[in-house]
Amino acid sequence: MQRDRVKNSFRTYCLKRLQKAGNAVNRYKKDKLVLERLYQYIIKNDAQKILLYLPLRTEVNLYPLIKRLRKEKRALYVPFMEGKSFRVVKYRLPLEKKRFGIKESKDSKQYRIRKLDMAIVPIVGMDITHRRVGFGKGMYDRFFEKEIENINKTVFVARELCYSGEIVTDHYDVKADMIIMP
């Protein structure tokens, strides 16, 4: 109970920082740095099957990276919200705005998870254990709980690191193999 309060307080603090993370030019510059580092990491790991997200305003804008990866014919997948979790579908246009203002590909056949080379996950904050603090809906946690053995690398991306030097996460929160920031 105490940890939940600490985590929620930390989340609120991080969200306020992200919302004030500078003007559009500043956000663009930070995103560009993150995307270049992320692309280099994808190349280094020869990731062909990649789960990524469709960004909200406070998250790193992945659209330029998506365009680049599609030209290279990499298999891209995105979350498709379903109940309290999500399933993985192929990235397809057009996109539709759904719950919480999140864009999604039109409903398509579920990707039967065999193996994903990489999952790119947005974070609100992180603690000393390198576990994710997200928006508080638990969707990524539920998804990873079922599919973690099918995901080779988990990469957190953030425009700005909001970090807690103490443990505020729970054992089931998603853990990163790599964190990429400006």
Side-chain angles (χ1 to χ4, degrees), residues 150-168:
N150 294 317
I151 301 168
N152 190 30
K153 298 268 186 209
T154 302
V155 180
F156 288 169
V157 293
R159 191 174 281 143
E160 190 169 313
L161 180 62
C162 196
Y163 181 80
S164 172
E166 59 185 78
I167 298 173
V168 298

Side-chain angles (χ1 to χ4, degrees), residues 1 7-8 22 28 33 61 64 72 76 100 115 120 137 140-141 164 178 181:
M1 210 50 132
K7 187 177 187 180
N8 286 333
Y28 173 80
L33 283 170
N61 179 3
E72 295 176 4
L76 304 181
F100 315 118
K115 288 283 183 201
I120 301 167
K137 305 290 183 215
Y140 277 96
D141 299 324
S164 172
M178 172 62 83
M181 301 161 302

Side-chain angles (χ1 to χ4, degrees), residues 16 70 81 89 91 108 123 137 155-156 162 182:
K16 284 180 184 172
R70 287 183 81 196
M81 287 186 289
V89 298
Y91 174 84
S108 61
I123 63 171
K137 305 290 183 215
V155 180
F156 288 169
C162 196

Side-chain angles (χ1 to χ4, degrees), residues 23 50 164 172 176:
N23 60 28
I50 305 167
S164 172
Y172 54 79

Side-chain angles (χ1 to χ4, degrees), residues 65-113:
L65 178 67
I66 290 170
K67 188 175 181 180
R68 188 175 189 179
L69 296 174
R70 287 183 81 196
K71 284 181 183 175
E72 295 176 4
K73 304 287 188 226
R74 295 181 194 265
L76 304 181
Y77 303 93
V78 293
F80 187 87
M81 287 186 289
E82 208 167 60
K84 293 185 176 189
S85 186
F86 62 81
R87 61 186 166 96
V88 176
V89 298
K90 264 191 170 296
Y91 174 84
R92 295 181 1 173
L93 295 173
L95 302 174
E96 291 181 337
K97 200 174 258 195
K98 296 285 183 120
R99 283 189 301 163
F100 315 118
I102 296 171
K103 290 182 179 178
E104 291 182 342
S105 287
K106 289 249 188 209
D107 190 10
S108 61
K109 289 183 182 174
Q110 180 172 349
Y111 172 64
R112 299 256 183 254
I113 299 252

Side-chain angles (χ1 to χ4, degrees), residues 34 38 50-54 59-60 62 79 86 118-125 131-135 139-141 143-144 148 151 153-159 174-180:
V34 170
L38 183 54
I50 305 167
L51 171 66
L52 29 76
Y53 64 91
L54 301 174
E59 298 169 336
V60 173
L62 294 185
F86 62 81
M118 191 173 292
I120 301 167
V121 181
I123 63 171
V124 170
R131 292 190 187 279
R132 176 182 187 263
V133 174
F135 285 93
M139 292 184 161
Y140 277 96
D141 299 324
F143 173 77
F144 273 80
I148 191 66
I151 301 168
K153 298 268 186 209
T154 302
V155 180
F156 288 169
V157 293
R159 191 174 281 143
V174 180
K175 191 170 185 174
D177 295 303
M178 172 62 83
I179 300 130
I180 299 179

